[in-house]
Amino acid sequence: MGYLKVSKKKFGQTAILYSLTNDSGITMNVTDLGARIVDLIVPVNGKERNIVLGFDTEQEYHTKDMYFGATIGRVAGRIRNGSFSIDDENYQLPVSPENGHTLHGGEASFEAKIWDAKIEQSSDQVSVIFSYVSPDKENGFPGELNARVSYSLTNKNEWIIDYQAETDKATLYNPTNHVYFNLTGDVTQSIDAHELVVEADRFAVVNEDTTVTGELRSVSETPFDFRQSKTMKQVFETNYEQNSLVNGLDHPFILNHTGFVKPQAIITAPDKELSIEMYTDRPAVVIFTAQFEEGPEIRGKKLVHQGGITLETQVSPGAVEFDGFGDIVLYPETTYQSRTMYKIN
């Protein structure tokens, strides 16, 4: 048995920071504020590298960006006009005044809540299980939802995210995690030299406001073709209209396969010393390349434009509108379950 360790400390006025360390010396820090990952610190050639974007205090999340590393829910992505129907019953959610849509479950959603937390430990992994009860009509969503998200760090250098939920009334549920990776560990370096593989033949085309149009387009002969490893420059140094529209990537990729036998996506650091493999049972991954107009300061350094990349596993946005995009309705008689795993190599 190794020396898998877990400890906790205050992270601000209300939040707690949990620190998990495995036998390889990888440390993952997570917090009950938004059931989020804060740090993923990996030893590389004797030096520590923090490969995710995060802040040092609870307060910084509130003032800088609430989505960094957070659990997103009830529904990841945009719901056009905040409206949907389930079994012929119509629902209207609060919408953003900027664009008239509902983003990531609406304002002050999962990412802003303090989740209950408990620690579980075995010989080969240590876990923090976060739970939150979202009341009926919270942000306009029907049904009381019991949500659980567990983060496990294993001795195989895996970060496993397990989602579970039950509802007492038919509702929408499509959670994700909003982690940003930068495998250089230096937020002043763009991710343009990172290499990416995505096992996806199709991506969802987006409008100017990044809602999906309903078109699923082949990646062939476009900068979205990452079926062979390519650098991220491919999407930054192009005038292809879908990339120009969002200044990078902010798109769902429809995965060719799901499961845990082989990865659906791989990010490799520019120095080739480190890579992250993504495995999921979700049918899509939304990839966003952190093209902020003004990046926040992170751990004392200013985040550069396109200084991070997300791999947000989920059912593709547009599922409530378009056939062929998947189904995100959760009924009382079923338990929602999904898993995503990031393996550090």
Side-chain angles (χ1 to χ4, degrees), residues 41-95:
I41 300 163
V42 180
V44 181
N45 297 329
K47 292 185 178 175
E48 291 192 333
R49 210 182 271 190
N50 197 343
I51 60 169
V52 303
L53 306 189
F55 303 115
D56 290 330
T57 62
E58 170 189 10
Q59 189 55 33
E60 284 180 89
Y61 284 98
H62 287 289
T63 56
K64 292 178 178 179
D65 195 308
M66 284 299 280
Y67 293 135
F68 276 37
T71 297
I72 302 297
R74 293 185 188 189
V75 175
R78 290 159 185 81
I79 299 176
R80 193 194 309 274
N81 305 323
S83 62
F84 64 93
S85 62
I86 300 174
D87 299 334
D88 298 325
E89 188 165 347
N90 297 322
Y91 296 94
Q92 179 61 52
L93 311 177
V95 296

Side-chain angles (χ1 to χ4, degrees), residues 289-337:
T289 47
Q291 47 270 15
F292 301 118
E293 284 179 25
E294 184 71 17
E297 190 173 282
I298 294 176
R299 308 179 189 113
K301 291 181 173 179
K302 182 85 166 163
L303 177 65
V304 73
H305 181 61
Q306 296 163 341
I309 179 171
T310 66
L311 298 176
E312 302 169 54
T313 59
Q314 58 195 270
V315 174
S316 176
V320 295
E321 294 177 81
F322 302 113
D323 290 341
F325 275 65
D327 181 11
I328 61 170
V329 178
L330 178 64
Y331 288 97
E333 55 270 22
T334 55
T335 296
Y336 177 92
Q337 283 187 301

